[in-house]
Amino acid sequence: MSVSGEELKKLVQEHCNCFFVNGFNGESFDFLQEDIQPVLQKNFRDVCADEDEFSWLHYIPEGYRVIRDGELRVAQSLGESWKGSYPVYIPKIGEVGVLEFHDFSKVNGEGRHLGFLIFEETIGGRHYSISSLFTSLQNALNKSAIVTITNYTGQILYANNLFCEFSGYSLEELLGRTHSIINSGYHPKTFFVDLWKTILRGGVWRGEICNRKKSGELYWVDTTISPIYNGEGEVERFLSVRFDITEKKKHEEELNNSVKFNQSILSTMTSRIAVLSPQGKILFTNLAWDNFRVIQADEELRCPEVGQDYLECVGEKCFSGFLPNELLIGLKKVMAHEEPWFEMEYMIVDKGITNWYNFTASLLDDGSNRVLIKHSDTTRRKITENELAKSRRKYLDLLDNIQDAICTDNKDGVITFANKKFLEYFSVSRSQIGKISVMDIVREDYRNYVREIYSRCIEGVSIPEYIEFPATSFGEERWFECRTRGLQEDGEVMGTQSIIRDITERKKLFEEIESKEHLLRLKIEELQAKNEELLQFSYIISHNLRSPLANVIGLSRLLDNIEERSEKSRDITKLIATSSEQLDEVVKDLTKILSLNMSPELLKDQVDPFSVIEKVADEIGVRKEELSVRDERIKKACIKTNEQYFLSIIQNVLSNSFKFRSEVRPLKVSAVLKDRPEESSWEVLIEDNGIGLDTNKYKQDIFGMYKRFHHGVSQGKGLGLYITKKQVELLGGSVEITGIPDLGTNVKLTFREYENE
C-alpha cells in the first residue's frame, strides 16, 4: 500500500487503542496492529489467510452496516472523503467499543481505509452492551414501525424491511436517495420547510404525512423525526419512525364526509332544527333556524341562539300568546322522559298572513339525553289540504249529479259510500250507508251470482264484462247494469267500486228489436222462398223456352236453304228467324239479370285489367288506331276480382262506344287505369268521341231496364247499362256516366282497393 510504515506509526501513536487498515470495500484486513490481535482472537496471518470469514464488518451490528453502506455510497457519489463512527461488539470478550472509520482513498489513490477501534470504559465493573440494546430495539421497531435513517442532508442511509414493503422500493433503490422519492404531492412546500426548520435546530418533529408508493398508491403514516448527535453534540443524522395510519385516515375522511353531508342536509332543510341539552340549553341550530324572522305587531321576532335557555324563551313566547302553551308542556314531558315523542300544529300570524307550523320534540337515541326539536312550515300543506277538501266536495257534488249510481264497499261487502243517484234508485237513506251491502238491493234469485262477481274482485281478478241484475226501484222491478272493479291500497285489494246504470228501457228496446228481428227473419225466409221460385222461373226460361226457340231458329235456317220457294215465303222465313233471334237475346238478358240477383258470393281471381281491355276491344272489332290504353297506376299489378263480371263490364262499355260512333268523324276511344290512394280505390276511365249521351236529359233513367236513348239506332236493347251497374256494385264499386250530344261519352268505373298478386 502507498501509505508508508512511518505514516502508519504516526497514525497509531495519534490514535491509541487498536488500529487496522482494510481494502476499499471494507471486507478484509491488509494490516492489523499487534495490540488488536488478541482482542479479535486472530493474528494477522490468520486474518489475511481467510479474509471473507473475518471481515471487520462482522463486528458491527447489522443495522449499522446498512447505515455505513449508505453513508459510504453518498460520499462516493459526491466524490468526497468520508468518516463514520459505529458501535462494535466483540465476540467472546463481549467488549464494546466505537469504530471510527476514515476513508483515505483520496490520499493514497489505492482505495484504502483506516479503522480505529476505541474501547469504552467499563461501568460498574461490567461491560454495557450497546450493540445488544441496539439489536433489541431494532428488532422491535422492524416488526412494528417503518424506520429510516438519513444523513444531515436528508439522503437515506438505512431503511428497514417495513419501509421497503410499504414504499414498494428495494433497499438498493432507496440508499443515497432522499424521501422525495415517495413524495405524494399532497402537502404544500411550506409543510416540509417547517419540518426541516424543526429538525435542523435539533427539535423533534411529529406529524402525519401522505406518501406515494412505487405503484402510485397513496398511504398515510404517523411520523416522528428525531436528530442523532455525534460526540461533539452536533446533529449528524436523522431517525424517522413511522406507523401506518392509512385505514385511520380513511375512517376519518369517511367520518368527515358524513359530518359534512349531514351538515349540508341540515343546512338545506327548510325546517328549523335545534338540539337541546338535558337542561334545555341550545347546543346546535341549522341555517333555517338562524334565518327565521317573523314580524308581529311591528316587532321582529327571531329564534333563540346557541347557548340560550330554550325553555325560558318558549315560556315567554307562550305567555305573550305568540306560541301555544301546549307546546311548552309537551316539550317538558319529553325532556322529563315522560313521553318519547311530542308533536303538535300551531299557527303564527306574520305581517297579517297566517302561517302554519308543525312542532316535534324527541329524545336522541345516543344516550346523551339531548332533545331534538323541529319546527316545520306546513302552510303549503294546509293550503293543499284545504284545496283537496274543496276538490273532494266538488267531486262528491259531481258524483251526486251524474245519472249513474256509484257506490264503494269494503272487503266485507258493506257499502261505505253511495252517491245521490244510488240513494234514489234503491230508496236508501244516508244513515243506512255503512250498514247495508249491494246484496240487500239485488233480487234474491240473483244474489249468489252477484256475490261471486264481488268475491272475484276482492281476490284481485279483473272483471271486464258488465253484469246485469233486477232490483226493486221506485216501487217496481227494474233492470240494472253494473261494472265492478277492485280498489287497491299498497297493492292489496281493500274493497270494490261499482257503477250501476238503469237499463230497463234498453231491455225493453232490445226485446222489441228481438221481436222485429224475428219478423225480419220470417220475411227473409219468405223472400228466400220467392227467390227459389225466381230461380225455377229462370230455369224454365233458360231450358223450356230457349229450347223451342232454338228449334224455330234452326228450322227457319233450313227453310231458307230450300231453293224452290217464292220470294214471299223467303221473306216470311227471314222474318221468323230474325224475331226468334231477338227473342233469344231477350231471354239471355233476362237470365243474366236473374243470375245477378242470385249471386251474392263471387269467385275472385287475379285479373290483369290492361290485358282485358285490349282483348275485349279486339273481339268487338275496334281497330288499334281507334283505341288508346294507358296504365298510370304506380304498381302495374293484377287485381283480385271476378273475371267474368269484369269482362262483361268492359264489353258493355266498349260495345256502346263502338255501336254509337259518329258518322262524321273517325272513332277514338281512350281507356286509362289510375290509382286513388287517398280513397283506397282505383279507376278505369273510358272516353269516346261518339254521338254522345245527353246525361242531363236522361239523368234518372240512364241505368234503368229497357231504357234506350238513341232511337235512330237499331242496336241496343236498353239492358247494357243496367247490367253494367249491377255487376260493378256486386264487385264493390261504382259507375258514373257523363256525356254531351255529338261530342262523346265518359264512363268512370271505380273499384275498392285491390289485393296485389
Side-chain angles (χ1 to χ4, degrees):
M1 70 184 199
S2 57
V3 179
S4 65
E6 291 296 326
E7 289 174 322
L8 284 175
K9 185 177 181 180
K10 184 179 179 181
L11 287 171
V12 171
Q13 290 174 349
E14 291 177 356
H15 298 82
C16 58
N17 298 52
C18 301
F19 150 83
F20 63 87
V21 178
N22 73 316
F24 183 79
N25 292 327
E27 295 178 353
S28 62
F29 297 114
D30 286 342
F31 173 80
L32 196 66
Q33 187 182 3
E34 292 181 2
D35 292 343
I36 202 172
Q37 290 180 19
V39 176
L40 298 180
Q41 299 297 305
K42 287 286 182 180
N43 58 32
F44 179 70
R45 291 187 183 87
D46 293 334
V47 171
C48 293
D50 195 358
E51 295 177 352
D52 291 338
E53 183 179 355
F54 294 99
S55 169
W56 64 270
L57 291 176
H58 293 170
Y59 302 106
I60 299 178
E62 183 181 355
Y64 277 99
R65 294 181 204 171
V66 178
I67 297 173
R68 175 260 173 195
D69 291 341
E71 290 182 336
L72 179 59
R73 290 187 185 184
V74 172
Q76 291 172 353
S77 65
L78 297 176
E80 298 176 353
S81 296
W82 160 73
K83 174 185 175 182
S85 299
Y86 313 98
V88 174
Y89 175 75
I90 302 175
K92 296 182 181 179
I93 299 177
E95 297 272 0
V96 175
V98 175
L99 176 65
E100 290 186 3
F101 197 73
H102 296 260
D103 175 19
F104 280 90
S105 59
K106 299 296 179 181
V107 177
N108 55 35
E110 295 184 7
R112 300 292 179 172
H113 299 282
L114 185 63
F116 300 94
L117 182 62
I118 304 171
F119 290 114
E120 297 289 334
E121 295 181 0
T122 60
I123 301 175
R126 54 186 295 189
H127 294 290
Y128 182 67
S129 179
I130 298 176
S131 62
S132 176
L133 178 63
F134 177 84
T135 301
S136 299
L137 178 62
Q138 182 187 29
N139 290 336
L141 283 176
N142 277 337
K143 291 179 180 178
S144 60
I146 304 167
V147 182
T148 56
I149 298 177
T150 68
N151 63 11
Y152 189 79
T153 59
Q155 292 168 308
I156 297 172
L157 305 175
Y158 167 77
N160 72 344
N161 292 336
L162 278 180
F163 187 92
C164 296
E165 179 183 329
F166 270 87
S167 67
Y169 292 96
S170 65
L171 184 61
E172 288 73 16
E173 293 176 295
L174 293 170
L175 292 177
R177 302 287 298 275
T178 66
H179 285 89
S180 62
I181 193 173
I182 56 171
N183 192 326
S184 65
Y186 177 84
H187 304 283
K189 290 182 179 180
T190 53
F191 177 84
F192 293 104
V193 170
D194 293 338
L195 183 155
W196 275 100
K197 283 182 180 179
T198 301
I199 62 177
L200 287 175
R201 65 171 176 260
V204 176
W205 185 89
R206 174 76 183 271
E208 295 177 350
I209 300 178
C210 178
N211 291 330
R212 186 183 300 278
K213 297 182 180 183
K214 187 177 182 180
S215 63
E217 181 183 354
L218 299 179
Y219 66 100
W220 282 84
V221 288
D222 184 359
T223 305
T224 301
I225 304 177
S226 302
I228 300 175
Y229 296 90
N230 60 17
E232 286 77 24
E234 298 173 342
V235 176
E236 186 177 50
R237 303 185 187 98
F238 297 103
L239 172 66
S240 299
V241 180
R242 308 167 184 82
F243 295 93
D244 178 34
I245 57 169
T246 305
E247 289 301 317
K248 172 191 167 188
K249 294 297 286 186
K250 286 182 180 179
H251 293 320
E252 286 179 358
E253 184 178 3
E254 291 173 359
L255 181 60
N256 290 334
N257 290 338
S258 177
V259 171
K260 289 178 182 178
F261 179 70
N262 292 334
Q263 289 177 343
S264 66
I265 291 176
L266 291 173
S267 297
T268 56
M269 290 181 68
T270 56
S271 299
R272 290 173 284 139
I273 299 174
V275 177
L276 307 182
S277 71
Q279 295 75 34
K281 295 289 184 181
I282 300 175
L283 304 177
F284 167 82
T285 60
N286 71 338
L287 187 62
W289 182 284
D290 298 335
N291 293 337
F292 183 74
R293 304 284 189 279
V294 172
I295 305 297
Q296 192 175 61
D298 298 329
E299 180 184 358
E300 183 180 73
L301 303 176
R302 303 175 58 183
C303 291
E305 299 176 353
V306 173
Q308 289 186 276
D309 189 326
Y310 187 72
L311 294 176
E312 182 180 330
C313 296
V314 171
E316 293 177 358
K317 296 294 187 295
C318 292
F319 180 78
S320 64
F322 181 75
L323 292 174
N325 195 52
E326 293 82 2
L327 187 147
L328 180 60
I329 295 172
L331 176 58
K332 286 183 177 180
K333 286 184 177 181
V334 173
M335 296 183 69
H337 294 210
E338 295 178 12
E339 297 287 346
W341 174 273
F342 173 73
E343 182 176 10
M344 71 166 293
E345 201 167 42
Y346 65 94
M347 68 176 186
I348 295 176
V349 178
D350 181 12
K351 299 178 184 178
I353 300 174
T354 300
N355 293 317
W356 285 88
Y357 297 91
N358 185 70
F359 173 78
T360 59
S362 61
L363 288 169
L364 293 176
D365 59 358
D366 59 357
S368 64
N369 292 329
R370 292 178 296 181
V371 178
L372 176 70
I373 61 174
K374 182 174 67 171
H375 297 265
S376 303
D377 190 336
T378 58
T379 306
R380 287 179 178 270
R381 191 189 73 192
K382 273 287 184 180
I383 294 172
T384 303
E385 287 176 354
N386 292 334
E387 292 296 329
L388 286 174
K390 291 179 182 178
S391 298
R392 176 177 171 78
R393 287 193 294 272
K394 289 180 180 179
Y395 175 69
L396 293 176
D397 290 341
L398 178 64
L399 292 180
D400 280 340
N401 286 292
I402 63 176
Q403 297 305 307
D404 293 332
I406 298 176
C407 70
T408 59
D409 57 18
N410 58 24
K411 281 186 174 182
D412 299 324
V414 178
I415 296 174
T416 56
F417 167 81
N419 70 340
K420 185 177 179 181
K421 185 60 69 174
F422 184 93
L423 303 179
E424 291 177 358
Y425 273 169
F426 306 109
S427 302
V428 176
S429 64
R430 289 284 182 192
S431 61
Q432 290 178 282
I433 302 303
K435 301 176 183 178
I436 64 171
S437 71
V438 174
M439 304 308 145
D440 296 326
I441 63 173
V442 177
R443 199 172 73 188
E444 188 173 357
D445 57 332
Y446 270 78
R447 287 178 184 174
N448 288 336
Y449 165 64
V450 175
R451 187 178 289 108
E452 181 183 352
I453 298 298
Y454 271 69
S455 298
R456 289 169 63 191
C457 287
I458 292 296
E459 292 170 1
V461 179
S462 177
I463 309 296
E465 70 274 6
Y466 286 91
I467 61 173
E468 295 180 358
F469 63 87
T472 301
S473 176
F474 301 109
E476 63 175 347
E477 184 175 272
R478 301 182 68 84
W479 278 88
F480 296 92
E481 177 185 76
C482 178
R483 177 71 179 271
T484 302
R485 67 180 183 88
L487 294 177
Q488 293 191 356
E489 184 177 329
D490 297 329
E492 181 181 357
V493 178
M494 305 302 294
T496 64
Q497 180 187 65
S498 300
I499 300 175
I500 304 172
R501 179 175 299 171
D502 189 338
I503 59 169
T504 306
E505 298 304 321
R506 191 175 74 187
K507 273 277 189 182
K508 292 179 181 178
L509 180 60
F510 282 169
E511 289 174 359
E512 185 179 345
I513 291 173
E514 286 178 358
S515 176
K516 289 182 177 180
E517 284 180 346
H518 176 67
L519 294 175
L520 182 59
R521 283 194 293 271
L522 293 177
K523 280 289 183 184
I524 290 172
E525 290 173 1
E526 182 182 347
L527 288 173
Q528 285 175 340
K530 291 181 179 180
N531 222 13
E532 288 292 329
E533 293 176 1
L534 283 174
L535 187 61
Q536 281 296 116
F537 178 68
S538 174
Y539 177 79
I540 292 170
I541 291 175
S542 178
H543 294 83
N544 298 357
L545 186 59
R546 288 189 65 192
S547 295
L549 279 174
N551 293 333
V552 172
I553 293 170
L555 290 172
S556 64
R557 288 175 179 170
L558 288 174
L559 290 173
D560 194 46
N561 292 330
I562 299 174
E563 295 181 358
E564 297 178 359
R565 286 195 310 140
S566 64
E567 190 65 31
K568 186 175 181 180
S569 175
R570 289 181 181 277
D571 291 339
I572 292 171
T573 302
K574 187 175 182 181
L575 182 60
I576 292 171
T578 301
S579 298
S580 299
E581 289 174 355
Q582 289 176 347
L583 181 58
D584 186 55
E585 288 295 322
V586 170
V587 171
K588 285 181 181 179
D589 290 337
L590 286 173
T591 304
K592 186 180 291 186
I593 291 169
L594 288 172
S595 68
L596 290 175
N597 293 324
M598 296 299 297
S599 305
E601 296 295 332
L602 300 173
L603 294 175
K604 295 183 179 181
D605 302 305
Q606 297 291 340
V607 178
D608 182 1
F610 189 89
S611 300
V612 169
I613 293 172
E614 288 189 328
K615 177 183 177 183
V616 170
D618 184 63
E619 288 177 352
I620 64 177
V622 179
R623 297 192 299 273
K624 289 185 179 181
E625 62 270 16
E626 294 175 335
L627 177 66
S628 170
V629 184
R630 300 194 311 277
D631 191 349
E632 296 180 357
R633 295 175 300 164
I634 297 173
K635 292 184 179 179
K636 312 297 190 289
C638 292
I639 59 172
K640 193 170 185 181
T641 187
N642 184 274
E643 185 175 12
Q644 180 183 353
Y645 275 17
F646 187 73
L647 186 64
S648 174
I649 292 166
I650 299 302
Q651 282 177 336
N652 282 329
V653 176
L654 288 182
S655 294
N656 284 343
S657 295
F658 186 74
K659 286 188 292 186
F660 301 110
R661 61 200 302 167
S662 174
E663 296 180 356
V664 298
R665 55 182 176 272
L667 176 64
K668 291 292 183 182
V669 181
S670 171
V672 182
L673 300 175
K674 289 187 177 182
D675 281 322
R676 286 288 180 265
E678 69 280 0
E679 300 174 2
S680 299
S681 63
W682 63 282
E683 297 174 348
V684 181
L685 303 176
I686 300 176
E687 302 176 355
D688 65 51
N689 64 345
I691 61 177
L693 175 64
D694 192 346
T695 51
N696 289 329
K697 180 178 178 180
Y698 303 112
K699 193 174 196 180
Q700 303 298 326
D701 300 323
I702 289 177
F703 298 108
M705 290 179 64
Y706 299 107
K707 299 295 182 181
R708 299 176 62 186
F709 310 109
H710 303 287
H711 300 290
V713 181
S714 60
Q715 300 99 325
K717 302 179 291 294
L719 290 173
L721 292 179
Y722 172 81
I723 293 173
T724 297
K725 184 174 183 295
K726 280 286 186 180
Q727 290 176 328
V728 170
E729 289 174 348
L730 284 171
L731 293 178
S734 62
V735 57
E736 297 178 25
I737 297 179
T738 57
I740 300 175
D742 298 327
L743 291 179
T745 305
N746 299 334
V747 179
K748 181 167 77 171
L749 305 169
T750 304
F751 299 94
R752 287 197 302 265
E753 188 173 11
Y754 50 81
E755 299 179 47
N756 289 342
E757 191 172 7

